[in-house]
Amino acid sequence: MKKLAVVSGASRGIGKTVVEKFASEGFEVAVCSRSMSNLEALKNEFESKYTTNIHVFVADVSKKEEIQNFGKFILELRLPVHVLVNNAGLFLPGKILEEAEDTLETLINTNVYSAYYLSRILVPEMETLDSAHVFNICSIASLMAYPQSGSYSISKFALLGLSKSLRQELLNTSVKVTSIMPGATLTDSWAGVDLPAERFMEAKDVADIIWASYNLSKSAVVEEIVLRPLKGDI
């Protein structure tokens, strides 16, 4: 039976690159996104390129019922979940005193609650395995607030807190927890920015560091990883 990796918000950007990395290494992968067309394109691309199965599910991760349904879908696959990558996230720029009134709720629901509810469903199953790993895709904004990042920074600080708490709760189990804090990564989020590509990290950099962390011995875990562009933050 193949191992299963689960990646939320995975139809493009960092998530898609993580899916490809694990698919290329022989994992089956379960992914969710709001767009079935994007999911079908990802499934067709990677199943034709690698000898594996990509299991797709349409879900708006900002909605509790939909992220829980994604979790139930994964359990029904009856495959051992060795890797969970809580990747789904949304960036809305703005200042706390000026942004739209529901901005914080939107970002907390998407960036924090999606990871919270999916972990609650899947981690108990992961604890039954001899080894498993949870990766939470946080942000440089989990460590310091930036201009125009009011509620986004709040949500990413909260996600790092969730990750630290989960790590403590799982200390006496076989489940590892790693928080990834990437800086500016060249994805669609930066479309239209007048900067050269080499000023950014590549999404593949994040996927590669996740894979490297996953492959440590069973007795070691990287708790936190900070990744920045070579010339610093943007």
Side-chain angles (χ1 to χ4, degrees):
M1 183 181 292
K2 284 190 174 182
K3 296 178 179 180
L4 182 68
V6 177
V7 187
S8 65
S11 64
R12 57 183 184 171
I14 290 173
K16 182 178 179 181
T17 308
V18 172
V19 171
E20 179 167 19
K21 182 62 181 178
F22 279 91
S24 72
E25 298 289 348
F27 278 69
E28 293 197 22
V29 188
V31 301
C32 72
S33 168
R34 290 180 298 176
S35 169
M36 177 53 83
S37 60
N38 287 347
L39 288 170
E40 288 177 340
L42 180 147
K43 179 180 175 68
N44 293 334
E45 177 183 354
F46 294 154
E47 285 189 345
S48 63
K49 192 173 182 180
Y50 307 107
T51 307
T52 192
N53 296 312
I54 308 296
H55 307 275
V56 300
F57 189 87
V58 175
D60 180 344
V61 301
S62 70
K63 298 179 179 178
K64 177 181 177 180
E65 183 177 3
E66 294 192 24
I67 193 65
Q68 289 179 324
N69 286 340
F70 177 50
K72 294 173 185 176
F73 165 78
I74 293 162
L75 296 182
E76 289 170 359
L77 295 174
R78 303 297 181 188
L79 292 168
V81 180
H82 282 263
V83 178
L84 168 60
V85 183
N86 286 309
N87 169 75
L90 175 66
F91 173 69
L92 295 175
K95 299 179 180 180
I96 291 173
L97 302 182
E98 299 175 2
E99 61 194 8
E101 189 169 318
D102 61 352
T103 300
L104 180 58
E105 287 85 348
T106 298
L107 291 172
I108 290 291
N109 287 340
T110 305
N111 299 347
V112 185
Y113 284 163
S114 63
Y116 174 82
Y117 288 119
L118 194 55
S119 296
R120 281 170 58 87
I121 291 172
L122 298 184
V123 171
E125 299 297 322
M126 298 169 74
E127 288 184 82
T128 67
L129 304 175
D130 62 352
S131 65
H133 208 138
V134 177
F135 293 92
N136 292 315
I137 307 301
C138 301
S139 170
I140 290 296
S142 297
L143 303 175
M144 60 180 294
Y146 286 88
Q148 294 292 327
S149 69
S151 285
Y152 178 76
S153 288
I154 294 171
S155 71
K156 288 299 187 177
F157 266 79
L159 181 58
L160 180 57
L162 183 156
S163 198
K164 287 176 178 287
S165 293
L166 188 61
R167 164 72 176 133
Q168 287 299 311
E169 292 180 13
L170 296 173
L171 278 177
N172 295 317
T173 76
S174 59
V175 183
K176 301 179 182 182
V177 180
T178 300
S179 307
I180 311 285
M181 274 76 75
T185 307
L186 191 57
T187 64
D188 291 347
S189 298
W190 292 92
V193 174
D194 187 22
L195 288 170
E198 57 268 22
R199 187 63 181 84
F200 296 84
M201 297 187 304
E202 298 178 11
K204 184 177 181 297
D205 294 324
V206 181
D208 286 345
I209 205 70
I210 288 174
W211 180 251
S213 300
Y214 172 73
N215 279 285
L216 295 178
S217 72
K218 291 182 180 180
S219 60
V221 59
V222 179
E223 293 185 330
E224 297 180 3
I225 298 174
V226 177
L227 291 164
R228 279 188 166 98
L230 182 61
K231 293 184 179 181
D233 295 330
I234 295 174

